[in-house]
Amino acid sequence: MPVFLDTSDSTFEQSFATLLSAKREDSPDVDAIVAEIIADVRTRGDQSLLELTAKFDRLSLPDTASLRITEAEIDAAIADVPAAEREALELAAARIRAYHEQQLPEDKSWTDAAGATLGWRWSAVSAAGLYVPGGLASYPSSVLMNAVPAKVAGVSRLAVTVPTPDGEINPLVLLACRISGVDEVYRVGGAQAIAALAYGTDTIAPVDKITGPGNAFVAAAKRRVFGKVGIDMIAGPSEILVIADADNNPDWIALDLLSQAEHDESAQSLLITDNAAFGQAVAEAVEHRLKTLQRGPIAGASWRDFGAVIVVRDLEEAAELSNRIAPEHLELCVADPTALSQKTIHAGAIFLGQFTPEAIGDYIGGPNHVLPTARSARFSSGLSVMDFLKRTTLSQMTPDALRAIGPAAATLATSERLEAHGLSVLARLDALNR
Amino acid sequence: MPVFLDTSDSTFEQSFATLLSAKREDSPDVDAIVAEIIADVRTRGDQSLLELTAKFDRLSLPDTASLRITEAEIDAAIADVPAAEREALELAAARIRAYHEQQLPEDKSWTDAAGATLGWRWSAVSAAGLYVPGGLASYPSSVLMNAVPAKVAGVSRLAVTVPTPDGEINPLVLLACRISGVDEVYRVGGAQAIAALAYGTDTIAPVDKITGPGNAFVAAAKRRVFGKVGIDMIAGPSEILVIADADNNPDWIALDLLSQAEHDESAQSLLITDNAAFGQAVAEAVEHRLKTLQRGPIAGASWRDFGAVIVVRDLEEAAELSNRIAPEHLELCVADPTALSQKTIHAGAIFLGQFTPEAIGDYIGGPNHVLPTARSARFSSGLSVMDFLKRTTLSQMTPDALRAIGPAAATLATSERLEAHGLSVLARLDALNR
């Protein structure tokens, strides 16, 4: 059973602080190993990739050309995907694409009263790399959530790296690559894949931005190449907070909590309710479901170690606690979810009403499922088209505009003792006033 | 004299690659010291701040209350600022505010054919911290460029930390804080200031996001607290690329190049021109100006070690090289700067035409002067209102919407072996179809 808290208890504040600061992830320190791998790939390129792939993935490739998974190989692998799965993946891709197309920002340009023409222009990153984990954590939905926004942004070259342990690959991952318009797929994983994407080898051209989830080695490698290329966030274990009143089916809420708990023993599932009896009913429903769930041991450990049921006086208090938690996923199963959502400011994604289980957002709703974890929703956002775009600001002065605002620039430059800055303005003003 | 390159030379490609990969900055490794400072501030809070301020800034404060610069102290310090400087700063703030107000993004919500209501909502970071360097590098313009976007975004609590070596502070920095609406100012600097902002002390409440420039200690501290709070980019030395045809005043272009070179011996100023004689004339004008410039030794070292004049066949080639350089600042002094700007895709900020010296953008143009350096304009953008906002995605299904798209989510969940995900959808569909 998880911990039960009640805001009316005198010990609540202390227990809640403990819950908030619980260290759920102990990443092994693999930085030294990763530094070596990156250095080796930078020095020896493809040869390093072949050797590391043989070592870590138990896969001996005959030559560097076979690092790439060809279109023919993709064709063959996806031919046997059952129609239901293919259609589900296509529907998901279409819905994710439609949502992310709405995110495309507009360029802007205007001329102000001084006569200065100002604005900005968005442009896509030229080349992006997407890391896809291998084995059990190889999720086709994750390919869509990364690749579709990149392509909507206009990334012209999108390369995927995916380890194929013992030569095995999930055909649905390749189908997701095909559906989302991925341009190149390589059977390389780990820190060596990140190094190849960042620095390039003869076979894999370097990219400008790397996104996608991975294990501790991949995360450490992404941190190391950051600066040379852009990276997305380093995601922590999944989290869900459900705020539910008594007018809900306890079993539905239990399943929503378990759908995060089953990801990982470090996941965190929290329920806030204004009805203690309902909280108890949900906890019982969780125990009942845990008995038969395939991933019951994982989900059970997560729920036992990091789960909580918090009883509050009213929904106002629920919103306050939610803002302190800043959850990755927030489900609002209350009579007026829209009203409550206006008070829950810090959250990666909000799911409104009892017919919007969080799992809809993992696959098919449209919004991205790559979201800020570990309270970082206080200052960051989920993955979006914006992650594959950058903004260039534009300014153009006329002689009149320079006359109007140039002197102030020269004054400030002088006060900052940056003489050439000031002279670059004054030399022009002198000529204009002559 | 700087290096002269010509794209017609057979050795050009090699020389250009050397120029692009020049390592301009050798940051001292201060990470171990910074780790100790952060740990000390986390453990001992204000007491640590007092001791470290005495040690590093040679400033003994009588008590923790005096860590804060009071409104009365700010009043007193800014009273003597000359009117011209005050007015220049106020004009700059107004223009930066007007530009950044244009950046405020809109919330969006729509209902699609399946009946799903989707969208997103932007909200401001609750509290932000702005680091302002002390001493000579204490630039009031930098306060405006960080503080104004934060306030335009709606950050309700904005705290500034600024070291005051020997108790000295630039009154213009305090005036810039006042004009831009900074809420709290503390006389603390270095890694200890970053630690206080990230973790909080009795006197300084913790923030959610930290921005602003700083030395190697500040940069290392920002890297360390990243994740606990958000940070802006870690900026490298300044850069400018000027693309100019022969129809320009060589002295103006020389001053533009020098206005970056004077920042720092590691700054990089590059000129691309389609006219070799004009390139030569600019190089001569630089030498002439260096003789009298206050910061001549710094600017001269930068120009000698990292500057270059590159002669190209035509502007098409100039645009290609510009995109490989991905400069922080790009000045287009050509007959049709707008046409050329459409080909220069990777740049932090573009200044169009001969009447738009880069220095205008440093102070008064309106766009932000905090921009991506070291080729990172390939994948990142300058500071903006967006850095102080985060996006929460929203979804709401109706029973009909869940009937329409829920089965595909359950199919994908099953294929990813995430049973509870699928059951959370199927349990609802079962009830709806009963």
Side-chain angles (χ1 to χ4, degrees):
Chain A
M1 290 293 263
V3 60
F4 275 73
L5 304 181
D6 192 314
T7 55
S8 311
D9 288 350
S10 61
T11 58
F12 173 76
E13 195 51 42
Q14 197 184 342
S15 309
F16 185 67
T18 304
L19 190 71
L20 271 193
S21 60
K23 189 165 169 51
R24 289 187 283 131
E25 207 181 21
D26 238 343
S27 296
D29 186 2
V30 297
D31 198 48
I33 302 167
V34 163
E36 262 180 53
I37 291 174
I38 293 175
D40 193 55
V41 172
R42 288 185 70 176
T43 313
R44 301 197 304 130
D46 284 341
Q47 190 55 41
S48 171
L49 295 185
L50 289 178
E51 289 173 22
L52 292 168
T53 301
K55 181 177 170 186
F56 292 118
D57 297 335
R58 300 165 302 282
L59 175 67
S60 294
L61 296 171
D63 50 32
T64 57
S66 52
L67 284 167
R68 182 158 176 180
I69 302 181
T70 64
E71 293 303 310
E73 287 175 312
I74 296 174
D75 288 339
I78 67 183
D80 295 334
V81 171
E85 290 183 13
R86 174 186 295 269
E87 284 159 20
L89 211 54
E90 281 169 351
L91 179 62
R95 292 186 57 86
I96 296 164
R97 190 174 298 118
Y99 183 89
H100 286 77
E101 278 170 356
Q102 299 275 346
Q103 288 180 332
L104 278 166
E106 283 180 18
D107 296 347
K108 215 160 184 175
S109 177
W110 65 95
T111 302
D112 67 19
T117 300
L118 304 173
W120 62 80
R121 180 186 70 200
W122 292 95
S123 58
V125 166
S126 295
L130 163 55
Y131 189 88
V132 179
L136 268 187
S138 177
Y139 294 140
S141 60
S142 179
V143 174
L144 298 183
M145 290 293 180
N146 282 271
V148 170
K151 280 295 174 182
V152 168
V155 172
S156 52
R157 178 177 161 250
L158 179 58
V160 161
T161 61
V162 52
T164 59
D166 303 304
E168 293 284 321
I169 186 163
N170 180 350
L172 279 175
V173 162
L174 294 177
L175 180 57
C177 288
R178 176 64 60 80
I179 289 173
S180 51
V182 168
D183 300 288
E184 305 161 13
V185 185
Y186 299 96
R187 43 171 68 86
V188 187
Q192 59 271 27
I194 302 299
L197 289 170
Y199 290 98
T201 69
D202 288 343
T203 302
I204 305 179
V207 301
D208 302 304
K209 174 117 189 183
I210 301 175
T211 70
N215 62 18
F217 290 86
V218 171
K222 281 169 69 179
R223 278 188 196 277
R224 282 212 156 245
V225 301
F226 175 57
K228 167 72 181 163
V229 299
I231 63 167
D232 60 346
M233 69 197 85
I234 308 279
S238 282
E239 306 153 7
I240 189 171
L241 167 62
V242 181
I243 302 179
D245 60 26
D247 199 16
N248 276 280
N249 183 326
D251 183 49
W252 297 5
I253 304 299
L255 286 167
D256 298 347
L257 294 168
L258 287 167
S259 72
Q260 290 309 299
E262 73 174 345
H263 269 299
D264 192 336
E265 292 184 0
S266 306
Q268 184 165 54
S269 300
L270 305 175
L271 170 65
I272 296 182
T273 180
D274 57 359
N275 184 301
F278 178 77
Q280 190 60 46
V282 171
E284 280 161 19
V286 167
E287 296 305 323
H288 185 70
R289 284 287 186 178
L290 277 173
K291 284 179 195 153
T292 58
L293 212 57
Q294 286 158 14
R295 297 171 67 92
I298 292 172
S302 156
W303 179 241
R304 181 191 66 228
D305 294 341
F306 303 114
V309 174
I310 303 172
V311 179
V312 290
R313 293 179 189 88
D314 51 36
L315 294 181
E316 198 69 41
E317 204 171 54
E320 280 165 30
L321 294 183
S322 175
N323 285 334
R324 289 175 64 186
I325 295 167
E328 179 190 15
H329 303 102
L330 174 60
E331 233 180 78
L332 303 180
C333 298
V334 297
D336 188 349
T338 301
L340 184 54
S341 78
Q342 282 151 6
K343 297 175 187 167
T344 53
I345 301 301
H346 306 312
I350 302 183
F351 303 87
L352 294 98
Q354 60 174 329
F355 296 108
T356 318
E358 185 279 330
I360 285 290
D362 281 336
Y363 293 111
I364 202 120
N368 212 286
H369 79 196
V370 181
L371 294 165
T373 56
R375 307 191 58 223
S376 62
R378 291 173 297 129
F379 55 82
S380 63
S381 312
L383 196 72
S384 79
V385 165
M386 315 290 276
D387 289 283
F388 300 97
L389 297 169
K390 65 268 185 340
R391 185 188 50 245
T392 298
T393 61
L394 301 164
S395 12
Q396 180 162 24
M397 302 297 129
T398 57
D400 280 348
L402 195 65
R403 281 193 197 96
I405 69 172
T411 298
L412 292 172
T414 303
S415 79
E416 292 187 357
R417 302 194 195 113
L418 293 170
E419 187 190 12
H421 282 69
L423 288 174
S424 73
V425 175
L426 294 174
R428 288 165 164 95
L429 287 177
D430 280 351
L432 287 173
N433 295 334
R434 212 174 284 153
Chain B
M1 294 290 266
V3 60
F4 275 72
L5 304 181
D6 191 315
T7 55
S8 310
D9 289 348
S10 61
T11 57
F12 172 76
E13 193 51 43
Q14 200 183 339
S15 309
F16 185 68
T18 304
L19 190 72
L20 272 193
S21 59
K23 189 164 168 52
R24 292 187 282 132
E25 207 182 21
D26 239 345
S27 295
D29 187 2
V30 297
D31 199 49
I33 302 166
V34 164
E36 261 179 53
I37 291 174
I38 294 175
D40 193 53
V41 173
R42 286 185 70 177
T43 312
R44 299 196 304 131
D46 285 339
Q47 190 54 40
S48 171
L49 295 183
L50 289 178
E51 289 174 22
L52 292 167
T53 300
K55 180 176 171 187
F56 291 119
D57 298 335
R58 300 165 302 281
L59 176 67
S60 292
L61 296 171
D63 49 33
T64 58
S66 52
L67 284 166
R68 182 156 177 182
I69 302 181
T70 64
E71 293 303 311
E73 288 175 310
I74 296 175
D75 288 339
I78 67 182
D80 297 333
V81 172
E85 291 183 13
R86 175 188 294 270
E87 282 159 21
L89 212 55
E90 279 170 353
L91 179 62
R95 291 188 57 85
I96 296 164
R97 192 174 297 118
Y99 183 91
H100 287 78
E101 279 171 353
Q102 298 277 346
Q103 288 179 333
L104 279 167
E106 283 180 19
D107 296 347
K108 215 161 183 173
S109 175
W110 65 94
T111 301
D112 68 18
T117 299
L118 303 172
W120 63 79
R121 179 187 70 199
W122 292 95
S123 58
V125 166
S126 295
L130 163 54
Y131 189 88
V132 178
L136 267 186
S138 176
Y139 294 139
S141 59
S142 180
V143 174
L144 297 184
M145 291 292 180
N146 281 272
V148 170
K151 279 296 174 182
V152 169
V155 171
S156 53
R157 178 177 161 250
L158 178 58
V160 160
T161 61
V162 53
T164 59
D166 302 306
E168 293 286 322
I169 185 161
N170 182 348
L172 279 175
V173 161
L174 294 177
L175 180 57
C177 289
R178 174 65 58 83
I179 289 173
S180 50
V182 167
D183 300 288
E184 305 161 13
V185 186
Y186 299 97
R187 42 171 67 89
V188 188
Q192 58 273 26
I194 304 298
L197 289 171
Y199 291 98
T201 68
D202 287 342
T203 302
I204 306 180
V207 302
D208 302 305
K209 174 121 190 179
I210 300 174
T211 71
N215 63 16
F217 290 85
V218 172
K222 280 168 70 180
R223 279 188 196 276
R224 280 210 161 249
V225 302
F226 173 56
K228 167 72 182 165
V229 298
I231 63 168
D232 61 345
M233 69 198 84
I234 308 282
S238 280
E239 308 152 4
I240 188 171
L241 168 62
V242 180
I243 302 179
D245 59 27
D247 199 16
N248 276 281
N249 183 329
D251 184 50
W252 297 4
I253 304 299
L255 286 167
D256 298 347
L257 294 168
L258 286 167
S259 73
Q260 291 309 298
E262 75 175 344
H263 268 297
D264 190 339
E265 292 185 1
S266 306
Q268 183 165 54
S269 301
L270 305 174
L271 170 65
I272 296 182
T273 180
D274 56 358
N275 184 301
F278 178 77
Q280 190 60 45
V282 170
E284 282 160 21
V286 167
E287 296 304 323
H288 185 71
R289 285 286 187 179
L290 278 173
K291 284 177 197 155
T292 58
L293 212 57
Q294 286 159 12
R295 296 170 67 93
I298 292 171
S302 157
W303 179 239
R304 179 190 69 228
D305 295 340
F306 302 113
V309 174
I310 303 173
V311 179
V312 290
R313 294 180 188 86
D314 52 34
L315 294 180
E316 196 70 41
E317 206 171 53
E320 282 165 28
L321 294 183
S322 176
N323 284 333
R324 289 173 64 186
I325 294 167
E328 180 190 13
H329 302 104
L330 174 61
E331 231 180 79
L332 303 180
C333 297
V334 297
D336 189 348
T338 301
L340 184 56
S341 78
Q342 280 151 8
K343 295 174 186 167
T344 53
I345 301 302
H346 305 310
I350 301 183
F351 303 87
L352 295 97
Q354 60 176 329
F355 296 109
T356 319
E358 186 278 331
I360 286 290
D362 281 336
Y363 294 110
I364 201 118
N368 212 286
H369 78 195
V370 181
L371 293 164
T373 57
R375 306 191 60 226
S376 63
R378 292 173 297 127
F379 54 81
S380 62
S381 313
L383 196 73
S384 78
V385 165
M386 314 291 274
D387 290 283
F388 300 97
L389 296 170
K390 65 269 184 342
R391 188 185 50 245
T392 298
T393 62
L394 301 164
S395 11
Q396 180 162 25
M397 302 296 133
T398 58
D400 280 348
L402 196 65
R403 280 192 197 97
I405 68 172
T411 298
L412 292 171
T414 303
S415 79
E416 292 188 356
R417 300 195 196 112
L418 293 171
E419 188 190 11
H421 283 67
L423 288 174
S424 73
V425 175
L426 294 174
R428 287 162 164 98
L429 288 177
D430 280 352
L432 287 173
N433 294 333
R434 211 174 285 150

